[in-house]
Amino acid sequence: MEVIKTPKIENVRMLDRYNNRKPSTGTLYLTATHLIFVDPDAKKETWVLLMHVATVQKLPLSTVGAPLQIRCKTFLSVTFVLPRERECHDLYTSLMQMSQPFHIEDLYCFHYTSSLEEIPRTAGWTFFDLETEFHRMGVPNANWTMTNLNKDYQLCDTYPQCLFVPTSVSTIVLVGSASFRSKGRLPVLTYLHKNQAALCRCSQPLSGFSARCVEDEQLLNGIVQANPNAKFMYVVDTRPRINAMANRAAGKGYENENFYENIKFQFCGIENIHVMRSSLSKLLEACELKTPSMAAFINGVQSSGWLRHIHAILDTSLLVARSLQEGVNVLVHCSDGWDRTAQVCSLAQVLLDPYYRTLQGFQSLIEKDWLSFGHKFTDRCGYLQSDAKETAPVFTQLVDCMWQLQRAYPSAFQFSERLLLHLHDHVYSSQYGTFVGNCEKDRLDLKLSDRTYSLWGNIASHLDEFLNPLYKSEAYPELLEPNLMPSNILFWRGLYCRFESGVHPRESIADVLLANRDHSTSLEMHIAHLQKRITSMKALLDVSTPVTDNRLADDDEEEQQQLLGLRLKKSMQVVDEHPLSTSKSVDSVFSDGPGIDNAITSSYQLRREIDSVSLDWRSLRNIKECVCSTPFDHSSKKSHCWRCGEVFCTRCLDKQTPLPGHATHRPVPVCRSCYREVRLSSSSITST
C-alpha cells in the first residue's frame, strides 16, 4: 500500500479504439490487487488484476489529458486518459512496481482469501499424486521401476522426487547420465502406453562436437530394451537443426547416432522462446491495429508466424503419438527439456490417451508434465521483476493447441473452451499457488499447499461451468489424428481478441447447451419428486375409501363420476380428520418413509415444494447486465438460479443448496435471495 500514491482519480476517460467519439468517463481506483474503472452513467466496471499487467506505457500528452496505455497478459489492452500529468506519472510508477514485485512472497497468492466459505484452503492440493498416476499406467512393472536417487533433489533439482527408469540400469548409469545432460535432466519415463511403448523426456546432451558418455548410452539402450515389442527407438529433438548445431559450440548439442545403438534421430523445427515471444508480440500488433483493415490484419497474422509455430508443435506431437501407437519408444528433448519438451509430451498424450481428454486427466497431465517436471512458470509468466528475456508464451501455445484439437474433435473432450481460458488467466494471475515456482522443489520450499489456495479446488467448486455438453467418451478412436493442413490451423479470436466488443456471438453455443441441460435436469428431478407425492396420495386415497371394482363396472359413466366424486370428498374428510393433520407434523417436511402417515402433508408444504423449482428459465439472449448492474459481455458466464430461473453473474450466483421440490438432495446453484428464502423456510419447518 505504500507505493499507492493516488488511490482515486476522478474524471478519467477510457478510450475504445473502435469508438473514439464516445469514450467512457468515470473514476479510477487503485487497490492493492486491482485497477478498477467505474463508469456510473453506463453502469460499467472494468477490473484489471495488477498481476495481469504486462506493460505500462505513457503516451504523448494530448489536449484532453495524459494517456496511459496498459497491456495485459490476458490480451486486454486499455487506454486511460487522466486529467493531470502528475496523476498519470504516479499511477504509472505504482503499476510498474505492483505488477511485478521484487520478492516472491509479495505475489497475490500469499494474500488472497477466497470469498467462498465452502472452499477450504486445502481443497485441490491432494487431487494429484505422481506415484498414483504412474500406477494408473501400470508402473512399476518388470521393465520399469521407481528410483529414490532424487529423493532430496540431489540428482536433479528441477525434476520430481519420484523418477521412473528402466529396471535394467544401475545407479552408476543414472548418475553418469545426469552429469552428461544439461541441468542434470537425464532421460526418464513420463508415459507408458498400454502396448508397452514408453514416452521419455530429458534435456540435450553435453556432447559438444565429439564428447560421449558411456553411462548415457547405456541408459538409452536400457530404454530400448524395456520395450519387448521394438528393437529401436526414436529420439526426437524438437529444435531446428541449425539451433542444435549452434549449441555444439557451447559444449551442448544432440545425440550422435554413431555412439548410440538402435536409435533413429529426428529434428522437428520448433523455434526457441525468443522467437515465440517475438511472434506473439507481432500477432498482438495485428490485433490492435489503429486503422484495422482486412489486408493489414491478414498480413500481420501471417508475418507473425504464430500459426506456423502452432502447426509445428501439433505436427511434432502427432509424430510422437503415432510412433507410440505403433509400439516404438520415443525420447523427446529440446535444450533444457522444460519448454518445447513439455508441450510435445503433453499434447502427444492427449492425442493418444482418452483419459487426458477428461477434466481430471487434463489436470493430472498439467501436474505431471508441467509442474512436476519443472516448467519454469515463475520465469516464463514474468511474475517477478527479472530478465524479460526469460518470459515466453509457452503455456499460451499449449492452450492454443488444445483449442485447435477441440475444434477438430468437438465431442472428444470433457471440458470446454472456457476451461482453457480460465487456466490461461490464472496461470498468469498468481492468484493461486498452483503455478508459482519454477519446479516441484520451489513449491515445497515455499510451502504453497499450506499458505495458498489451489486452482484445482476453485475449478472443482465450479465444475459445471467448464463441462463440454457435446462430450461423448466413445465418439472417437483412441488415437486422434487431426488433419494438420494449413487451412485447418485457425486464429483463436476467443483468446487474442476476447475483450474486443462487437466481434463475438451474443452468447456461447456451449453456454446455451449447458443451460438447456441444467434446465432439463432440474425438471426431471422435479417430475420424479411429484411422482413420489402422487404415488403417496394415491395410496392414501385407496386405503381411506376402498371401492369395489365390480360396483364401478356395473354403473354407467354418470354414476361412476358421482361415485368418484363422493370418494374423493370422503377421502379429503379422512385426511382433514386424521390425527396427524392437526399434529405438529402438518408443516413438517414430507417424509419418504413407508406408511399412510408419511403421505399426509399440509397444503403449505406441497405449495412450498412446487414453488421451489422454476419451470421457466429466462433466455440468455439479449441480457445485458446482472441484477447487481455488472454488464455481461461475450466472455461473461451467465448462470441460472434453479429456484427462480433468473440469470446472474458468477459473483451473484455463489450459493448452492438442495431444493425441496427435487427428488434428490443434490445442492444446486441458487441466487443469494433464493438461498436465504430456502434456508429460512427449512429452519421454520424444522423448528415447528
Side-chain angles (χ1 to χ4, degrees):
M1 297 298 295
E2 297 177 356
V3 300
I4 302 179
K5 300 179 180 179
T6 310
K8 178 180 178 181
I9 306 174
E10 297 180 339
N11 299 320
V12 176
R13 293 153 59 95
M14 187 176 73
L15 302 183
D16 184 347
R17 68 190 185 96
Y18 289 111
N19 189 12
N20 289 328
R21 296 182 179 180
K22 294 183 179 180
S24 300
T25 303
T27 304
L28 199 61
Y29 299 90
L30 180 61
T31 71
T33 58
H34 289 81
L35 181 66
I36 309 168
F37 176 77
V38 180
D39 181 358
D41 296 333
K43 296 182 179 180
K44 182 178 181 181
E45 294 182 3
T46 301
W47 290 60
V48 178
L49 180 65
L50 298 185
M51 288 304 302
H52 275 161
V53 173
T55 61
V56 185
Q57 183 179 4
K58 291 193 292 184
L59 303 180
L61 293 175
S62 65
T63 55
V64 294
L68 187 70
Q69 185 181 59
I70 300 172
R71 286 192 173 95
C72 297
K73 300 168 185 176
T74 56
F75 311 120
L76 169 66
S77 179
V78 61
T79 301
F80 296 110
V81 180
L82 284 69
R84 286 174 288 276
E85 197 278 335
R86 181 63 185 175
E87 293 174 333
C88 179
H89 179 74
D90 290 345
L91 181 60
Y92 170 82
T93 303
S94 299
L95 290 177
M96 291 296 292
Q97 295 180 14
M98 299 174 70
S99 62
Q100 283 189 318
F102 282 104
H103 305 291
I104 198 166
E105 302 279 348
D106 294 331
L107 290 178
Y108 186 23
C109 61
F110 293 104
H111 310 285
Y112 167 72
T113 301
S114 175
S115 59
L116 298 179
E117 298 177 357
E118 301 86 27
I119 305 179
R121 190 184 294 272
T122 56
W125 286 111
T126 58
F127 286 2
F128 174 80
D129 178 73
L130 188 61
E131 289 188 58
T132 302
E133 175 60 16
F134 276 98
H135 279 303
R136 186 191 68 84
M137 306 176 201
V139 180
N141 56 33
N143 298 316
W144 296 91
T145 186
M146 188 180 76
T147 177
N148 293 320
L149 281 177
N150 206 41
K151 185 177 180 180
D152 297 319
Y153 303 103
Q154 295 180 349
L155 188 66
C156 177
D157 60 358
T158 60
Y159 265 0
Q161 295 187 75
C162 300
L163 297 178
F164 292 86
V165 297
T167 307
S168 60
V169 300
S170 64
T171 299
I172 296 176
V173 168
L174 295 175
V175 173
S177 177
S179 65
F180 188 66
R181 294 281 171 170
S182 177
K183 313 295 183 183
R185 296 171 66 87
L186 72 159
V188 293
L189 180 71
T190 186
Y191 175 72
L192 185 66
H193 193 39
K194 62 183 181 181
N195 63 8
Q196 299 305 307
L199 175 61
C200 299
R201 57 182 296 172
C202 62
S203 62
Q204 64 183 334
L206 306 179
S207 56
F209 288 103
S210 59
R212 62 184 298 184
C213 175
V214 175
E215 291 83 3
D216 192 69
E217 296 166 16
Q218 290 175 347
L219 178 54
L220 265 63
N221 190 50
I223 294 175
V224 174
Q225 295 176 356
N227 182 1
N229 302 319
K231 302 300 182 182
F232 70 97
M233 77 170 178
Y234 291 109
V235 175
V236 176
D237 191 330
T238 60
R239 300 170 293 178
R241 179 187 293 270
I242 190 172
N243 292 20
M245 294 182 68
N247 282 341
R248 296 177 68 181
K252 301 176 183 180
Y254 53 92
E255 292 82 358
N256 188 331
E257 291 185 72
N258 295 326
F259 299 153
Y260 293 86
E261 297 179 359
N262 303 321
I263 73 166
K264 294 184 179 180
F265 192 85
Q266 184 166 350
F267 292 106
C268 288
I270 302 176
E271 299 289 350
N272 61 33
I273 61 171
H274 311 295
V275 174
M276 300 303 188
R277 183 174 58 249
S278 175
S279 177
L280 179 61
S281 179
K282 293 177 182 178
L283 181 74
L284 297 180
E285 289 177 4
C287 297
E288 299 175 7
L289 293 170
K290 293 183 179 180
T291 55
S293 67
M294 198 66 187
F297 175 76
I298 292 176
N299 290 334
V301 172
Q302 181 181 4
S303 62
S304 72
W306 184 257
L307 297 183
R308 186 176 68 252
H309 300 318
I310 296 297
H311 178 274
I313 296 170
L314 286 171
D315 192 41
T316 304
S317 303
L318 182 57
L319 169 68
V320 173
R322 282 173 173 165
S323 301
L324 293 170
Q325 181 72 6
E326 294 169 359
V328 181
N329 288 355
V330 181
L331 174 65
V332 180
H333 71 75
C334 49
S335 295
D336 293 319
W338 49 45
D339 292 320
R340 289 165 283 194
T341 301
Q343 291 174 332
V344 170
C345 287
S346 54
L347 287 169
Q349 292 169 72
V350 168
L351 294 173
L352 196 60
D353 193 337
Y355 171 70
Y356 292 122
R357 300 169 211 155
T358 66
L359 187 55
Q360 179 183 357
F362 190 55
Q363 292 178 2
S364 298
L365 186 68
I366 293 174
E367 283 277 0
K368 175 170 66 74
D369 277 280
W370 292 78
L371 294 168
S372 295
F373 277 100
H375 176 66
K376 300 168 63 176
F377 279 103
T378 295
D379 291 347
R380 297 295 183 255
C381 297
Y383 291 156
L384 306 174
Q385 291 191 19
S386 58
D387 187 3
K389 294 182 179 180
E390 284 294 305
T391 62
V394 180
F395 196 81
T396 300
Q397 289 180 318
L398 173 74
V399 296
D400 195 327
C401 290
M402 289 296 300
W403 178 79
Q404 304 285 346
L405 294 177
Q406 283 185 337
R407 280 191 61 261
Y409 302 98
S411 300
F413 294 87
Q414 188 186 26
F415 50 89
S416 65
E417 174 185 351
R418 189 179 297 277
L419 176 72
L420 301 179
L421 295 174
H422 192 71
L423 269 176
H424 185 269
D425 287 351
H426 285 295
V427 161
Y428 285 98
S429 72
S430 75
Q431 179 175 342
Y432 299 93
T434 305
F435 297 98
V436 173
N438 284 329
C439 58
E440 182 181 279
K441 182 177 182 297
D442 287 353
R443 284 180 276 278
L444 287 177
D445 291 343
L446 291 169
K447 299 180 180 179
L448 293 173
S449 60
D450 298 327
R451 304 171 60 193
T452 68
Y453 287 86
S454 168
L455 178 60
W456 309 134
N458 166 266
I459 291 176
S461 66
H462 300 86
L463 201 59
D464 289 342
E465 296 182 20
F466 307 115
L467 296 179
N468 175 17
L470 301 176
Y471 174 63
K472 295 179 181 178
S473 58
E474 306 297 332
Y476 298 98
E478 183 177 86
L479 174 64
L480 299 182
E481 298 184 85
N483 185 343
L484 298 180
M485 292 291 291
S487 58
N488 291 332
I489 307 299
L490 299 184
F491 171 79
W492 188 4
R493 179 189 61 187
L495 176 62
Y496 307 110
C497 297
R498 60 190 292 203
F499 297 102
E500 300 291 358
S501 58
V503 298
H504 302 275
R506 286 179 295 182
E507 57 270 333
S508 165
I509 295 177
D511 286 351
V512 174
L513 291 176
L514 284 173
N516 289 336
R517 185 204 64 184
D518 290 343
H519 192 192
S520 298
T521 301
S522 178
L523 293 177
E524 288 171 358
M525 291 193 295
H526 190 45
I527 291 171
H529 178 79
L530 294 178
Q531 287 175 336
K532 292 172 64 176
R533 295 294 174 256
I534 292 172
T535 301
S536 300
M537 291 301 297
K538 183 179 178 182
L540 173 65
L541 294 175
D542 290 342
V543 174
S544 301
T545 58
V547 180
T548 62
D549 294 338
N550 293 334
R551 183 176 178 182
L552 287 176
D554 295 338
D555 294 330
D556 58 18
E557 183 178 353
E558 183 177 353
E559 291 177 345
Q560 289 183 29
Q561 292 178 356
Q562 292 177 357
L563 285 173
L564 289 174
L566 291 172
R567 178 183 176 188
L568 179 60
K569 183 177 180 180
K570 188 175 181 180
S571 299
M572 295 307 296
Q573 290 176 353
V574 172
V575 173
D576 293 336
E577 295 171 0
H578 196 283
L580 291 180
S581 298
T582 56
S583 69
K584 193 174 182 179
S585 64
V586 170
D587 293 329
S588 65
V589 178
F590 209 161
S591 174
D592 292 327
I596 301 173
D597 293 345
N598 290 329
I600 309 287
T601 186
S602 66
S603 59
Y604 165 76
Q605 176 60 14
L606 285 173
R607 176 56 59 187
R608 173 177 176 267
E609 292 176 350
I610 294 173
D611 291 344
S612 69
V613 179
S614 175
L615 301 182
D616 296 319
W617 283 15
R618 189 177 179 185
S619 172
L620 297 178
R621 177 164 294 188
N622 297 328
I623 299 180
K624 297 182 179 180
E625 65 179 26
C626 179
V627 293
C628 66
S629 298
T630 299
F632 287 129
D633 56 27
H634 60 276
S635 62
S636 302
K637 179 69 172 70
K638 304 173 187 176
S639 304
H640 285 93
C641 170
W642 289 37
R643 184 177 184 273
C644 66
E646 289 297 321
V647 178
F648 298 89
C649 65
T650 53
R651 286 191 294 177
C652 291
L653 202 75
D654 58 351
K655 301 294 184 182
Q656 290 193 347
T657 186
L659 296 180
H662 281 164
T664 65
H665 297 287
R666 176 186 127 191
V668 297
V670 294
C671 63
R672 295 170 183 174
S673 176
C674 290
Y675 180 80
R676 288 193 297 268
E677 291 183 17
V678 171
R679 287 303 178 96
L680 181 62
S681 177
S682 299
S683 61
S684 63
I685 290 176
T686 303
S687 62
T688 57

